[in-house]
Amino acid sequence: MDCMSESESNLLKSSLISLAATAISLAAGFVSSVIAARLLGPAGSGKVAYALWVATSAATLADMGLPQTLLRNAGTLSGNGEAWKVLVRTALRSFIISLGMVGAAILVFAAITYIQRDARHAWFWIITGLLFVSYAFYVFSTAIARARNRFAETARTTAIGGLLQIPFVFLGAWLFGPTGALIGYIARYLPQALRLRGYIDRDTKSSQQALTPEMHRYGRYIWLSDLIEILVLSRIEFLFLGFFLSPTSIGYFAAGLGLAGLIEQVMLQISPALIVSFTEAHARNDQRMLNAAYSRVIRIVALIMLPISFGGAAIMPDLMPLIFGEAFEPAIPAAATLLAFVWIAGLSVIAWGIIGASGRSILLLRVQIICGVTMILLLTAFVPSMGLEGAALARAAIITLTFILLSLTAWKHVQVSVPVLPLAKTILAAATCAAAAGGCIYALDGVPAIATAIPAGAMAYMLAVRLLRLINSEDVQILMDTAGGRLTDRSRLYTSKLLVFLAPD
């Protein structure tokens, strides 16, 4: 295997390790959202979703871009020497100071809530504050581990956290309502957050020189980009829906986002591996390897995400009430729209990763500012007149705009381009999948409709992939070299036969 293929194999291996744990984590998160929806109803689950947004937004505000700075730099400094330890120690000091300031603000707000309302509402914000601390340390700890290529370690803690989340969310929601449900999300982040102590060398002293001006600049731009992402582009629809409609509408929209988020979060979990790999390619100044890796990752990710995105949107009329209950039927059109466009968000992560790995974080910030302003304008225009569907259309438009801007930026400044023709063919294959699945949904109802729609869509998609020749023999070789060793003999045999069918040449 040549240097390029070996690098791609390492990239895929890190991504697959993250994916294995992410599958458990995402399943746990989705089950948790279903539990909250079933036990608390649209209004209660909307309250939980709102608290999660507040906690993650506060964590992003407090981290000052330090986790992303460590992700990009802690793995390249002195190998196994001392420089990275000094960097981590220095970043942690600044991180804790900022964390304390934001945490104090949340406690003050909880105290005001206690005075103006009652202890029940105050406890809700106290638990939200604890969720903020747990999530912030989880992000910081995960960035260090992944920078040091400890993907297997983060995979284990992610899986453990996901398994802890479900029972705690169920018991908490059952006994204490929305406030109790948040305890399960705290449990989700604690296993990795508590590992932070193992990454800190107490004998190493911090040094302000460890964080270079270039690191400060990179972190500052990434921080501002992340703030725009989480405050404006992530869940700002909650504010508009709560203001123009009702808290119940937040629950509806959160349910739709939960389904689309299953796919989007997969790519967000893969992104650290992308950044680490792309950073290594930049360091080697190997443009050929960079182009090949970028194109191949986009093709493979599109092959996986597009049929799930289009097919999922096609079966949404029966899927939404089956999972969340009949009370969530008003969310079906918005959920279908969100799911139909989420594949574009997944591809945006790849373009984001290659731009970020090049150190051009200012370019990411510019894209975020443009998209953030446009998002607010679209929501202001669409939500009052179109309600939930307007919020979903606004998000779909911004997802598309973001991908276009990031792709153009990557082409201009990093000299990598989107493989347009293979992507167009994959869209056609996914449309075939959606048509087959949609036909079953139209002809049948409920569980029988979904039970027939999924295999029908899968078979139609595989035939389309073969006819359009979307997978080649080199793709098969890399995938089998990367993942084959982790499969049982029988699974490897079946996987090999399937890939040979999909790639006949």
Side-chain angles (χ1 to χ4, degrees):
M1 185 179 294
D2 59 22
C3 179
M4 178 186 68
S5 297
E6 182 180 354
S7 176
E8 291 178 3
S9 179
N10 290 334
L11 169 60
L12 286 171
K13 188 175 295 183
S14 297
S15 301
L16 288 171
I17 290 173
S18 295
L19 269 176
T22 298
I24 298 175
S25 178
L26 291 180
F30 185 68
V31 170
S32 297
S33 66
V34 173
I35 290 172
R38 291 282 185 172
L39 293 180
L40 305 175
S45 61
K47 191 175 182 180
V48 171
Y50 186 77
L52 290 171
W53 178 56
V54 170
T56 53
S57 297
T60 303
L61 177 64
D63 71 29
M64 300 183 297
L66 290 170
Q68 289 289 341
T69 301
L70 293 177
L71 177 65
R72 182 172 181 264
N73 295 281
T76 58
L77 288 172
S78 301
N80 294 319
E82 299 296 320
W84 75 272
K85 297 179 181 179
V86 178
L87 175 62
V88 169
R89 186 79 175 186
T90 305
L92 179 63
R93 182 180 178 183
S94 299
F95 177 75
I96 290 178
I97 293 173
S98 179
L99 201 71
M101 295 173 63
V102 176
I106 295 177
L107 288 177
V108 169
F109 183 78
I112 294 173
T113 303
Y114 175 76
I115 295 171
Q116 294 186 344
R117 303 189 72 173
D118 53 38
R120 181 170 60 88
H121 289 87
W123 271 111
F124 178 80
W125 289 110
I126 290 173
I127 298 300
T128 300
L130 293 176
L131 174 61
F132 147 71
V133 174
S134 174
Y135 178 75
F137 276 112
Y138 160 82
V139 171
F140 193 88
S141 176
T142 300
I144 300 171
R146 286 173 169 168
R148 303 303 300 174
N149 282 313
R150 298 180 181 179
F151 287 95
E153 186 174 295
T154 59
R156 285 194 299 271
T157 56
T158 298
I160 293 171
L163 295 175
L164 288 174
Q165 180 179 354
I166 295 176
F168 276 99
V169 168
F170 176 80
L171 291 174
W174 182 35
L175 296 175
F176 305 110
T179 302
L182 293 177
I183 297 174
Y185 291 92
I186 295 175
R188 155 70 178 85
Y189 299 115
L190 279 180
Q192 181 61 39
L194 295 175
R195 293 199 67 89
L196 179 60
R197 294 179 60 185
Y199 307 145
I200 306 299
D201 187 347
R202 296 187 178 183
D203 296 329
T204 301
K205 295 183 179 180
S206 62
S207 172
Q208 290 303 317
Q209 285 71 37
L211 284 167
T212 65
E214 191 277 334
M215 292 181 191
H216 277 294
R217 184 167 56 253
Y218 175 84
R220 182 168 59 251
Y221 291 145
I222 285 291
W223 178 53
L224 292 173
S225 298
D226 286 346
L227 280 177
I228 296 172
E229 172 68 30
I230 194 71
L231 292 174
V232 180
L233 299 176
S234 177
R235 298 291 187 270
I236 196 175
E237 296 96 336
F238 291 171
L239 294 179
F240 282 82
L241 291 170
F243 180 79
F244 288 110
L245 299 178
S246 68
T248 302
S249 66
I250 298 177
Y252 291 145
F253 198 77
L257 282 176
L259 291 167
L262 281 173
I263 304 174
E264 187 174 3
Q265 283 299 316
V266 169
M267 283 309 302
L268 291 177
Q269 291 294 325
I270 292 176
S271 63
L274 295 175
I275 291 175
V276 171
S277 179
F278 289 151
T279 300
E280 292 174 355
H282 280 293
R284 296 175 184 174
N285 197 27
D286 191 337
Q287 188 64 38
R288 179 171 172 266
M289 184 182 74
L290 201 63
N291 285 328
Y294 183 71
S295 177
R296 192 181 301 278
V297 170
I298 285 182
R299 288 196 302 104
I300 292 177
V301 168
L303 279 166
I304 297 171
M305 293 188 68
L306 266 163
I308 300 174
S309 183
F310 284 11
I315 67 174
M316 191 58 64
D318 286 276
L319 186 63
M320 175 64 75
L322 177 66
I323 295 176
F324 291 97
E326 300 295 332
F328 284 84
E329 282 191 358
I332 290 175
T337 301
L338 292 170
L339 198 55
F341 281 85
V342 75
W343 66 275
I344 304 178
L347 297 188
S348 296
V349 173
I350 304 170
W352 177 284
I354 204 164
I355 296 169
S358 71
R360 295 175 172 88
S361 52
I362 181 62
L363 301 177
L364 299 176
L365 177 58
R366 291 173 183 171
V367 171
Q368 292 293 75
I369 291 174
I370 294 172
C371 294
V373 172
T374 307
M375 181 68 158
I376 293 174
L377 294 175
L378 290 177
L379 288 172
T380 303
F382 289 175
V383 172
S385 59
M386 302 173 64
L388 283 172
E389 291 78 5
L393 287 173
R395 174 170 286 271
I398 291 302
I399 287 173
T400 305
L401 176 63
T402 300
F403 177 63
I404 292 173
L405 293 178
L406 287 175
S407 298
L408 291 175
T409 301
W411 174 73
K412 181 178 180 180
H413 295 277
V414 193
Q415 287 78 53
V416 293
S417 59
V418 174
V420 177
L421 182 58
L423 186 58
K425 290 182 177 180
T426 308
I427 292 173
L428 177 60
T432 304
C433 167
C440 297
I441 294 296
Y442 179 80
L444 302 171
D445 293 313
V447 176
I450 295 176
T452 55
I454 293 176
M459 287 187 290
Y461 182 66
M462 286 189 290
L463 288 173
V465 168
R466 177 183 171 89
L467 291 174
L468 294 172
R469 298 184 178 275
L470 296 178
I471 298 178
N472 57 46
S473 56
E474 187 179 355
D475 295 333
V476 173
Q477 183 64 43
I478 290 178
L479 287 170
M480 290 304 299
D481 288 344
T482 303
R486 300 178 180 274
L487 300 174
T488 63
D489 291 340
R490 179 169 294 183
S491 298
R492 186 163 54 249
L493 177 62
Y494 289 147
T495 302
S496 178
K497 288 183 177 180
L498 175 61
L499 290 175
V500 169
F501 170 78
L502 296 176
D505 50 342

